[in-house]
Amino acid sequence: MFDDRFVRRQRFSALLNGVMIGFGVVLLFGGPLGLLPLGAGLLVEMWQQRRLPR
């Protein structure tokens, strides 16, 4: 259905989003600085969802 390059890019993007969101959650307990990576991860996730073919 999808070519290998597309699937690999989507998996890497999902991994990166998970790392950013996880980093934001960890930092969130240390102070408000954790909102930056958390917000960035959520914005990247929404952006990737829009790029997916329907």
Side-chain angles (χ1 to χ4, degrees), residues 29-49:
F29 292 112
L33 185 62
L35 291 176
L36 292 175
L38 186 63
L42 292 174
L43 287 175
V44 169
E45 182 64 34
M46 291 188 317
W47 177 59
Q48 285 294 326
Q49 288 295 323

Side-chain angles (χ1 to χ4, degrees), residues 8-51:
R8 192 175 312 129
R9 187 180 72 216
Q10 289 301 111
R11 286 184 179 167
F12 180 73
S13 173
L15 175 66
L16 183 62
N17 292 343
V19 167
M20 283 196 307
I21 290 171
F23 187 63
V25 168
V26 168
L27 285 178
L28 189 61
F29 292 112
L33 185 62
L35 291 176
L36 292 175
L38 186 63
L42 292 174
L43 287 175
V44 169
E45 182 64 34
M46 291 188 317
W47 177 59
Q48 285 294 326
Q49 288 295 323
R50 288 188 189 143
R51 288 182 58 193

